[in-house]
Amino acid sequence: MLLDLPYAPLAKKPLPAGRPRDWYITHNRRLKAMRLAIALLDSGVYLPNQAHNKKIRATAELIGIHPPSDTTCHMVRALMRYCR
């Protein structure tokens, strides 16, 4: 199934200064996980056990973002689990 991208990305705004580096890393990882979870749900993958790392990385390539780490893949499955 092909993904339909009906949205245009929002204009990026600078993140607030003065936070620890780990905060920025976690923030960006959460944003990536949310984008991937939405793309997987749009493509028909509704259950976390259907979203293997290989499937998540293939979806990332399809929507044009860098391949996620194992930690980000775990976050994608967690988001899909809690959205139910």
mmCIF file of all heavy atoms in Angstrom, residues 5-51:
data_model
loop_
_atom_site.group_PDB
_atom_site.id
_atom_site.type_symbol
_atom_site.label_atom_id
_atom_site.label_comp_id
_atom_site.label_asym_id
_atom_site.label_seq_id
_atom_site.Cartn_x
_atom_site.Cartn_y
_atom_site.Cartn_z
ATOM 1 N N LEU A 5 0.769 11.380 1.346
ATOM 2 C CA LEU A 5 1.271 12.425 2.233
ATOM 3 C C LEU A 5 0.424 13.677 2.049
ATOM 4 O O LEU A 5 0.754 14.553 1.258
ATOM 5 C CB LEU A 5 2.750 12.718 1.945
ATOM 6 C CG LEU A 5 3.688 11.525 2.107
ATOM 7 C CD1 LEU A 5 5.093 11.902 1.681
ATOM 8 C CD2 LEU A 5 3.689 11.055 3.542
ATOM 9 N N PRO A 6 -0.698 13.782 2.770
ATOM 10 C CA PRO A 6 -1.620 14.902 2.554
ATOM 11 C C PRO A 6 -1.230 16.185 3.274
ATOM 12 O O PRO A 6 -1.950 17.147 3.221
ATOM 13 C CB PRO A 6 -2.921 14.362 3.140
ATOM 14 C CG PRO A 6 -2.482 13.476 4.233
ATOM 15 C CD PRO A 6 -1.194 12.843 3.738
ATOM 16 N N TYR A 7 -0.120 16.184 3.932
ATOM 17 C CA TYR A 7 0.234 17.350 4.737
ATOM 18 C C TYR A 7 1.536 17.950 4.246
ATOM 19 O O TYR A 7 2.335 17.295 3.608
ATOM 20 C CB TYR A 7 0.384 16.952 6.202
ATOM 21 C CG TYR A 7 1.504 15.977 6.436
ATOM 22 C CD1 TYR A 7 2.767 16.429 6.762
ATOM 23 C CD2 TYR A 7 1.309 14.614 6.284
ATOM 24 C CE1 TYR A 7 3.814 15.532 6.943
ATOM 25 C CE2 TYR A 7 2.340 13.727 6.463
ATOM 26 C CZ TYR A 7 3.587 14.189 6.788
ATOM 27 O OH TYR A 7 4.618 13.316 6.953
ATOM 28 N N ALA A 8 1.700 19.199 4.552
ATOM 29 C CA ALA A 8 2.977 19.865 4.299
ATOM 30 C C ALA A 8 3.639 20.082 5.646
ATOM 31 O O ALA A 8 2.968 20.432 6.620
ATOM 32 C CB ALA A 8 2.752 21.199 3.603
ATOM 33 N N PRO A 9 4.938 19.855 5.748
ATOM 34 C CA PRO A 9 5.603 20.047 7.038
ATOM 35 C C PRO A 9 5.462 21.487 7.525
ATOM 36 O O PRO A 9 5.452 22.427 6.733
ATOM 37 C CB PRO A 9 7.062 19.715 6.763
ATOM 38 C CG PRO A 9 7.112 19.133 5.411
ATOM 39 C CD PRO A 9 5.842 19.431 4.713
ATOM 40 N N LEU A 10 5.326 21.646 8.810
ATOM 41 C CA LEU A 10 5.243 22.971 9.397
ATOM 42 C C LEU A 10 6.601 23.655 9.335
ATOM 43 O O LEU A 10 7.640 23.007 9.268
ATOM 44 C CB LEU A 10 4.796 22.872 10.850
ATOM 45 C CG LEU A 10 3.406 22.291 11.089
ATOM 46 C CD1 LEU A 10 3.170 22.112 12.582
ATOM 47 C CD2 LEU A 10 2.349 23.188 10.494
ATOM 48 N N ALA A 11 6.563 24.969 9.350
ATOM 49 C CA ALA A 11 7.822 25.720 9.370
ATOM 50 C C ALA A 11 8.542 25.433 10.676
ATOM 51 O O ALA A 11 7.938 25.424 11.748
ATOM 52 C CB ALA A 11 7.532 27.208 9.241
ATOM 53 N N LYS A 12 9.833 25.180 10.576
ATOM 54 C CA LYS A 12 10.609 24.853 11.769
ATOM 55 C C LYS A 12 10.891 26.113 12.572
ATOM 56 O O LYS A 12 11.197 27.164 12.019
ATOM 57 C CB LYS A 12 11.917 24.184 11.389
ATOM 58 C CG LYS A 12 11.723 22.805 10.811
ATOM 59 C CD LYS A 12 13.043 22.121 10.596
ATOM 60 C CE LYS A 12 12.813 20.715 10.086
ATOM 61 N NZ LYS A 12 14.054 19.989 9.957
ATOM 62 N N LYS A 13 10.785 25.976 13.877
ATOM 63 C CA LYS A 13 11.122 27.066 14.782
ATOM 64 C C LYS A 13 12.307 26.609 15.626
ATOM 65 O O LYS A 13 12.440 25.423 15.916
ATOM 66 C CB LYS A 13 9.940 27.374 15.714
ATOM 67 C CG LYS A 13 8.713 27.886 14.980
ATOM 68 C CD LYS A 13 7.620 28.266 15.935
ATOM 69 C CE LYS A 13 6.911 27.008 16.377
ATOM 70 N NZ LYS A 13 5.732 27.242 17.204
ATOM 71 N N PRO A 14 13.158 27.524 16.015
ATOM 72 C CA PRO A 14 14.297 27.112 16.843
ATOM 73 C C PRO A 14 13.833 26.596 18.197
ATOM 74 O O PRO A 14 12.857 27.095 18.764
ATOM 75 C CB PRO A 14 15.136 28.378 16.984
ATOM 76 C CG PRO A 14 14.268 29.501 16.570
ATOM 77 C CD PRO A 14 13.179 28.944 15.708
ATOM 78 N N LEU A 15 14.535 25.587 18.678
ATOM 79 C CA LEU A 15 14.224 25.040 19.995
ATOM 80 C C LEU A 15 14.735 25.995 21.076
ATOM 81 O O LEU A 15 15.667 26.766 20.836
ATOM 82 C CB LEU A 15 14.877 23.670 20.156
ATOM 83 C CG LEU A 15 14.319 22.569 19.257
ATOM 84 C CD1 LEU A 15 15.152 21.308 19.404
ATOM 85 C CD2 LEU A 15 12.871 22.287 19.585
ATOM 86 N N PRO A 16 14.117 25.953 22.251
ATOM 87 C CA PRO A 16 14.566 26.862 23.309
ATOM 88 C C PRO A 16 16.002 26.569 23.727
ATOM 89 O O PRO A 16 16.409 25.415 23.833
ATOM 90 C CB PRO A 16 13.593 26.583 24.459
ATOM 91 C CG PRO A 16 13.020 25.249 24.169
ATOM 92 C CD PRO A 16 13.043 25.083 22.686
ATOM 93 N N ALA A 17 16.734 27.620 23.963
ATOM 94 C CA ALA A 17 18.140 27.473 24.352
ATOM 95 C C ALA A 17 18.252 27.197 25.842
ATOM 96 O O ALA A 17 17.340 27.464 26.615
ATOM 97 C CB ALA A 17 18.907 28.744 24.003
ATOM 98 N N GLY A 18 19.384 26.652 26.239
ATOM 99 C CA GLY A 18 19.675 26.471 27.650
ATOM 100 C C GLY A 18 19.315 25.122 28.228
ATOM 101 O O GLY A 18 19.476 24.899 29.422
ATOM 102 N N ARG A 19 18.812 24.220 27.407
ATOM 103 C CA ARG A 19 18.480 22.881 27.905
ATOM 104 C C ARG A 19 19.703 21.983 27.781
ATOM 105 O O ARG A 19 20.574 22.211 26.954
ATOM 106 C CB ARG A 19 17.339 22.281 27.088
ATOM 107 C CG ARG A 19 16.111 23.133 26.999
ATOM 108 C CD ARG A 19 15.108 22.706 27.988
ATOM 109 N NE ARG A 19 13.945 23.586 27.899
ATOM 110 C CZ ARG A 19 12.745 23.223 28.226
ATOM 111 N NH1 ARG A 19 12.524 22.015 28.674
ATOM 112 N NH2 ARG A 19 11.759 24.079 28.149
ATOM 113 N N PRO A 20 19.741 20.900 28.552
ATOM 114 C CA PRO A 20 20.846 19.944 28.386
ATOM 115 C C PRO A 20 20.762 19.242 27.024
ATOM 116 O O PRO A 20 19.688 19.106 26.455
ATOM 117 C CB PRO A 20 20.627 18.936 29.516
ATOM 118 C CG PRO A 20 19.606 19.517 30.401
ATOM 119 C CD PRO A 20 18.873 20.570 29.651
ATOM 120 N N ARG A 21 21.899 18.812 26.536
ATOM 121 C CA ARG A 21 21.957 18.166 25.225
ATOM 122 C C ARG A 21 21.032 16.954 25.142
ATOM 123 O O ARG A 21 20.390 16.723 24.112
ATOM 124 C CB ARG A 21 23.393 17.761 24.922
ATOM 125 C CG ARG A 21 23.559 17.069 23.587
ATOM 126 C CD ARG A 21 25.026 16.839 23.264
ATOM 127 N NE ARG A 21 25.204 15.989 22.130
ATOM 128 C CZ ARG A 21 25.029 16.351 20.864
ATOM 129 N NH1 ARG A 21 24.639 17.578 20.597
ATOM 130 N NH2 ARG A 21 25.230 15.501 19.880
ATOM 131 N N ASP A 22 20.932 16.180 26.210
ATOM 132 C CA ASP A 22 20.061 15.001 26.211
ATOM 133 C C ASP A 22 18.602 15.368 25.957
ATOM 134 O O ASP A 22 17.861 14.588 25.356
ATOM 135 C CB ASP A 22 20.172 14.250 27.541
ATOM 136 C CG ASP A 22 21.503 13.549 27.699
ATOM 137 O OD1 ASP A 22 22.175 13.324 26.664
ATOM 138 O OD2 ASP A 22 21.876 13.234 28.839
ATOM 139 N N TRP A 23 18.183 16.532 26.407
ATOM 140 C CA TRP A 23 16.800 16.960 26.186
ATOM 141 C C TRP A 23 16.528 17.107 24.697
ATOM 142 O O TRP A 23 15.489 16.681 24.200
ATOM 143 C CB TRP A 23 16.529 18.282 26.905
ATOM 144 C CG TRP A 23 15.110 18.732 26.786
ATOM 145 C CD1 TRP A 23 14.079 18.418 27.619
ATOM 146 C CD2 TRP A 23 14.550 19.571 25.755
ATOM 147 N NE1 TRP A 23 12.934 19.013 27.179
ATOM 148 C CE2 TRP A 23 13.191 19.718 26.027
ATOM 149 C CE3 TRP A 23 15.080 20.198 24.636
ATOM 150 C CZ2 TRP A 23 12.343 20.477 25.235
ATOM 151 C CZ3 TRP A 23 14.239 20.939 23.833
ATOM 152 C CH2 TRP A 23 12.891 21.076 24.133
ATOM 153 N N TYR A 24 17.463 17.723 23.961
ATOM 154 C CA TYR A 24 17.294 17.925 22.524
ATOM 155 C C TYR A 24 17.293 16.598 21.780
ATOM 156 O O TYR A 24 16.508 16.393 20.856
ATOM 157 C CB TYR A 24 18.401 18.828 21.970
ATOM 158 C CG TYR A 24 18.378 20.217 22.554
ATOM 159 C CD1 TYR A 24 19.290 20.592 23.528
ATOM 160 C CD2 TYR A 24 17.420 21.143 22.163
ATOM 161 C CE1 TYR A 24 19.272 21.864 24.071
ATOM 162 C CE2 TYR A 24 17.389 22.414 22.701
ATOM 163 C CZ TYR A 24 18.317 22.769 23.658
ATOM 164 O OH TYR A 24 18.281 24.019 24.199
ATOM 165 N N ILE A 25 18.163 15.689 22.183
ATOM 166 C CA ILE A 25 18.223 14.376 21.546
ATOM 167 C C ILE A 25 16.907 13.631 21.750
ATOM 168 O O ILE A 25 16.326 13.079 20.811
ATOM 169 C CB ILE A 25 19.419 13.565 22.093
ATOM 170 C CG1 ILE A 25 20.726 14.217 21.647
ATOM 171 C CG2 ILE A 25 19.357 12.111 21.647
ATOM 172 C CD1 ILE A 25 21.957 13.655 22.322
ATOM 173 N N THR A 26 16.405 13.633 22.970
ATOM 174 C CA THR A 26 15.144 12.950 23.271
ATOM 175 C C THR A 26 13.977 13.605 22.538
ATOM 176 O O THR A 26 13.096 12.918 22.003
ATOM 177 C CB THR A 26 14.889 12.958 24.792
ATOM 178 O OG1 THR A 26 16.009 12.359 25.436
ATOM 179 C CG2 THR A 26 13.634 12.200 25.148
ATOM 180 N N HIS A 27 13.967 14.919 22.497
ATOM 181 C CA HIS A 27 12.896 15.649 21.816
ATOM 182 C C HIS A 27 12.837 15.266 20.334
ATOM 183 O O HIS A 27 11.767 14.932 19.810
ATOM 184 C CB HIS A 27 13.133 17.158 21.976
ATOM 185 C CG HIS A 27 12.174 18.003 21.208
ATOM 186 N ND1 HIS A 27 10.900 18.239 21.643
ATOM 187 C CD2 HIS A 27 12.308 18.654 20.028
ATOM 188 C CE1 HIS A 27 10.280 19.005 20.763
ATOM 189 N NE2 HIS A 27 11.124 19.276 19.782
ATOM 190 N N ASN A 28 13.982 15.299 19.664
ATOM 191 C CA ASN A 28 14.023 14.961 18.245
ATOM 192 C C ASN A 28 13.687 13.493 18.004
ATOM 193 O O ASN A 28 13.028 13.154 17.018
ATOM 194 C CB ASN A 28 15.393 15.301 17.658
ATOM 195 C CG ASN A 28 15.609 16.790 17.574
ATOM 196 O OD1 ASN A 28 14.657 17.552 17.395
ATOM 197 N ND2 ASN A 28 16.844 17.216 17.705
ATOM 198 N N ARG A 29 14.098 12.619 18.915
ATOM 199 C CA ARG A 29 13.778 11.199 18.790
ATOM 200 C C ARG A 29 12.264 10.971 18.916
ATOM 201 O O ARG A 29 11.675 10.183 18.181
ATOM 202 C CB ARG A 29 14.533 10.404 19.856
ATOM 203 C CG ARG A 29 14.298 8.915 19.757
ATOM 204 C CD ARG A 29 15.213 8.171 20.681
ATOM 205 N NE ARG A 29 16.520 8.092 20.028
ATOM 206 C CZ ARG A 29 17.663 8.014 20.664
ATOM 207 N NH1 ARG A 29 17.704 7.991 21.977
ATOM 208 N NH2 ARG A 29 18.801 7.954 20.008
ATOM 209 N N ARG A 30 11.630 11.689 19.838
ATOM 210 C CA ARG A 30 10.168 11.566 19.989
ATOM 211 C C ARG A 30 9.446 12.056 18.747
ATOM 212 O O ARG A 30 8.461 11.451 18.310
ATOM 213 C CB ARG A 30 9.702 12.347 21.210
ATOM 214 C CG ARG A 30 10.027 11.691 22.508
ATOM 215 C CD ARG A 30 9.538 12.521 23.673
ATOM 216 N NE ARG A 30 9.918 11.908 24.933
ATOM 217 C CZ ARG A 30 10.121 12.575 26.035
ATOM 218 N NH1 ARG A 30 9.981 13.884 26.072
ATOM 219 N NH2 ARG A 30 10.462 11.944 27.136
ATOM 220 N N LEU A 31 9.896 13.163 18.173
ATOM 221 C CA LEU A 31 9.268 13.670 16.957
ATOM 222 C C LEU A 31 9.388 12.664 15.813
ATOM 223 O O LEU A 31 8.427 12.418 15.088
ATOM 224 C CB LEU A 31 9.902 15.006 16.548
ATOM 225 C CG LEU A 31 9.598 16.198 17.431
ATOM 226 C CD1 LEU A 31 10.351 17.422 16.925
ATOM 227 C CD2 LEU A 31 8.114 16.471 17.490
ATOM 228 N N LYS A 32 10.559 12.076 15.659
ATOM 229 C CA LYS A 32 10.767 11.079 14.618
ATOM 230 C C LYS A 32 9.883 9.858 14.858
ATOM 231 O O LYS A 32 9.275 9.328 13.927
ATOM 232 C CB LYS A 32 12.235 10.660 14.562
ATOM 233 C CG LYS A 32 12.555 9.668 13.455
ATOM 234 C CD LYS A 32 13.992 9.211 13.548
ATOM 235 C CE LYS A 32 14.779 9.737 12.403
ATOM 236 N NZ LYS A 32 16.163 9.213 12.376
ATOM 237 N N ALA A 33 9.791 9.415 16.096
ATOM 238 C CA ALA A 33 8.958 8.254 16.430
ATOM 239 C C ALA A 33 7.492 8.544 16.123
ATOM 240 O O ALA A 33 6.783 7.676 15.605
ATOM 241 C CB ALA A 33 9.148 7.872 17.892
ATOM 242 N N MET A 34 7.034 9.753 16.413
ATOM 243 C CA MET A 34 5.637 10.107 16.113
ATOM 244 C C MET A 34 5.389 10.113 14.613
ATOM 245 O O MET A 34 4.366 9.598 14.146
ATOM 246 C CB MET A 34 5.289 11.467 16.707
ATOM 247 C CG MET A 34 5.044 11.415 18.196
ATOM 248 S SD MET A 34 4.363 12.939 18.857
ATOM 249 C CE MET A 34 5.816 13.956 18.910
ATOM 250 N N ARG A 35 6.318 10.678 13.843
ATOM 251 C CA ARG A 35 6.142 10.688 12.389
ATOM 252 C C ARG A 35 6.095 9.269 11.835
ATOM 253 O O ARG A 35 5.272 8.952 10.971
ATOM 254 C CB ARG A 35 7.273 11.471 11.727
ATOM 255 C CG ARG A 35 7.141 12.969 11.886
ATOM 256 C CD ARG A 35 8.081 13.714 10.958
ATOM 257 N NE ARG A 35 9.478 13.437 11.224
ATOM 258 C CZ ARG A 35 10.249 14.149 12.035
ATOM 259 N NH1 ARG A 35 9.756 15.177 12.666
ATOM 260 N NH2 ARG A 35 11.507 13.828 12.219
ATOM 261 N N LEU A 36 6.963 8.401 12.345
ATOM 262 C CA LEU A 36 6.985 7.017 11.875
ATOM 263 C C LEU A 36 5.730 6.257 12.297
ATOM 264 O O LEU A 36 5.184 5.477 11.513
ATOM 265 C CB LEU A 36 8.234 6.309 12.386
ATOM 266 C CG LEU A 36 9.532 6.707 11.690
ATOM 267 C CD1 LEU A 36 10.732 6.185 12.461
ATOM 268 C CD2 LEU A 36 9.536 6.193 10.263
ATOM 269 N N ALA A 37 5.260 6.471 13.509
ATOM 270 C CA ALA A 37 4.045 5.788 13.971
ATOM 271 C C ALA A 37 2.849 6.201 13.122
ATOM 272 O O ALA A 37 2.033 5.353 12.723
ATOM 273 C CB ALA A 37 3.797 6.103 15.442
ATOM 274 N N ILE A 38 2.745 7.466 12.802
ATOM 275 C CA ILE A 38 1.640 7.941 11.962
ATOM 276 C C ILE A 38 1.730 7.330 10.570
ATOM 277 O O ILE A 38 0.720 6.883 10.012
ATOM 278 C CB ILE A 38 1.641 9.478 11.904
ATOM 279 C CG1 ILE A 38 1.242 10.051 13.265
ATOM 280 C CG2 ILE A 38 0.701 9.993 10.820
ATOM 281 C CD1 ILE A 38 1.507 11.534 13.419
ATOM 282 N N ALA A 39 2.929 7.289 10.006
ATOM 283 C CA ALA A 39 3.104 6.700 8.675
ATOM 284 C C ALA A 39 2.761 5.212 8.675
ATOM 285 O O ALA A 39 2.133 4.719 7.732
ATOM 286 C CB ALA A 39 4.531 6.918 8.189
ATOM 287 N N LEU A 40 3.155 4.503 9.716
ATOM 288 C CA LEU A 40 2.825 3.077 9.798
ATOM 289 C C LEU A 40 1.325 2.866 9.932
ATOM 290 O O LEU A 40 0.754 1.981 9.285
ATOM 291 C CB LEU A 40 3.554 2.427 10.980
ATOM 292 C CG LEU A 40 5.043 2.186 10.774
ATOM 293 C CD1 LEU A 40 5.715 1.869 12.101
ATOM 294 C CD2 LEU A 40 5.269 1.063 9.785
ATOM 295 N N LEU A 41 0.675 3.671 10.752
ATOM 296 C CA LEU A 41 -0.773 3.552 10.894
ATOM 297 C C LEU A 41 -1.478 3.854 9.576
ATOM 298 O O LEU A 41 -2.442 3.185 9.206
ATOM 299 C CB LEU A 41 -1.274 4.486 12.001
ATOM 300 C CG LEU A 41 -0.867 4.098 13.425
ATOM 301 C CD1 LEU A 41 -1.195 5.220 14.395
ATOM 302 C CD2 LEU A 41 -1.544 2.804 13.841
ATOM 303 N N ASP A 42 -0.989 4.847 8.841
ATOM 304 C CA ASP A 42 -1.568 5.179 7.538
ATOM 305 C C ASP A 42 -1.379 4.064 6.526
ATOM 306 O O ASP A 42 -2.178 3.919 5.605
ATOM 307 C CB ASP A 42 -0.956 6.468 6.987
ATOM 308 C CG ASP A 42 -1.454 7.710 7.713
ATOM 309 O OD1 ASP A 42 -2.463 7.609 8.453
ATOM 310 O OD2 ASP A 42 -0.825 8.777 7.559
ATOM 311 N N SER A 43 -0.309 3.281 6.675
ATOM 312 C CA SER A 43 -0.041 2.207 5.721
ATOM 313 C C SER A 43 -0.715 0.892 6.106
ATOM 314 O O SER A 43 -0.551 -0.100 5.404
ATOM 315 C CB SER A 43 1.467 1.994 5.571
ATOM 316 O OG SER A 43 2.002 1.448 6.760
ATOM 317 N N GLY A 44 -1.422 0.870 7.223
ATOM 318 C CA GLY A 44 -2.161 -0.335 7.591
ATOM 319 C C GLY A 44 -1.522 -1.185 8.659
ATOM 320 O O GLY A 44 -1.987 -2.287 8.934
ATOM 321 N N VAL A 45 -0.463 -0.734 9.267
ATOM 322 C CA VAL A 45 0.180 -1.463 10.365
ATOM 323 C C VAL A 45 -0.405 -0.903 11.658
ATOM 324 O O VAL A 45 -0.086 0.202 12.067
ATOM 325 C CB VAL A 45 1.713 -1.285 10.331
ATOM 326 C CG1 VAL A 45 2.364 -1.981 11.509
ATOM 327 C CG2 VAL A 45 2.269 -1.807 9.022
ATOM 328 N N TYR A 46 -1.315 -1.652 12.265
ATOM 329 C CA TYR A 46 -2.052 -1.142 13.415
ATOM 330 C C TYR A 46 -1.587 -1.690 14.759
ATOM 331 O O TYR A 46 -1.891 -1.130 15.792
ATOM 332 C CB TYR A 46 -3.545 -1.448 13.258
ATOM 333 C CG TYR A 46 -4.148 -0.812 12.032
ATOM 334 C CD1 TYR A 46 -4.627 -1.584 10.990
ATOM 335 C CD2 TYR A 46 -4.203 0.571 11.903
ATOM 336 C CE1 TYR A 46 -5.175 -1.006 9.865
ATOM 337 C CE2 TYR A 46 -4.740 1.167 10.779
ATOM 338 C CZ TYR A 46 -5.235 0.368 9.773
ATOM 339 O OH TYR A 46 -5.756 0.950 8.651
ATOM 340 N N LEU A 47 -0.868 -2.792 14.752
ATOM 341 C CA LEU A 47 -0.450 -3.421 16.000
ATOM 342 C C LEU A 47 1.061 -3.318 16.164
ATOM 343 O O LEU A 47 1.811 -3.457 15.188
ATOM 344 C CB LEU A 47 -0.864 -4.894 16.014
ATOM 345 C CG LEU A 47 -2.365 -5.149 15.927
ATOM 346 C CD1 LEU A 47 -2.632 -6.638 15.787
ATOM 347 C CD2 LEU A 47 -3.073 -4.592 17.145
ATOM 348 N N PRO A 48 1.530 -3.099 17.385
ATOM 349 C CA PRO A 48 2.969 -2.981 17.609
ATOM 350 C C PRO A 48 3.755 -4.227 17.204
ATOM 351 O O PRO A 48 4.885 -4.120 16.733
ATOM 352 C CB PRO A 48 3.095 -2.735 19.107
ATOM 353 C CG PRO A 48 1.772 -2.279 19.550
ATOM 354 C CD PRO A 48 0.772 -2.855 18.605
ATOM 355 N N ASN A 49 3.153 -5.403 17.351
ATOM 356 C CA ASN A 49 3.887 -6.622 16.988
ATOM 357 C C ASN A 49 4.010 -6.799 15.476
ATOM 358 O O ASN A 49 4.762 -7.644 15.009
ATOM 359 C CB ASN A 49 3.273 -7.856 17.639
ATOM 360 C CG ASN A 49 1.842 -8.084 17.222
ATOM 361 O OD1 ASN A 49 1.271 -7.296 16.480
ATOM 362 N ND2 ASN A 49 1.246 -9.147 17.718
ATOM 363 N N GLN A 50 3.292 -5.995 14.695
ATOM 364 C CA GLN A 50 3.444 -6.012 13.240
ATOM 365 C C GLN A 50 4.573 -5.081 12.791
ATOM 366 O O GLN A 50 5.023 -5.156 11.660
ATOM 367 C CB GLN A 50 2.158 -5.551 12.553
ATOM 368 C CG GLN A 50 0.976 -6.461 12.740
ATOM 369 C CD GLN A 50 -0.285 -5.866 12.149
ATOM 370 O OE1 GLN A 50 -0.453 -4.648 12.123
ATOM 371 N NE2 GLN A 50 -1.173 -6.734 11.680
ATOM 372 N N ALA A 51 4.994 -4.183 13.675
ATOM 373 C CA ALA A 51 5.996 -3.171 13.325
ATOM 374 C C ALA A 51 7.381 -3.629 13.787
ATOM 375 O O ALA A 51 7.858 -3.250 14.845
ATOM 376 C CB ALA A 51 5.629 -1.841 13.959
#
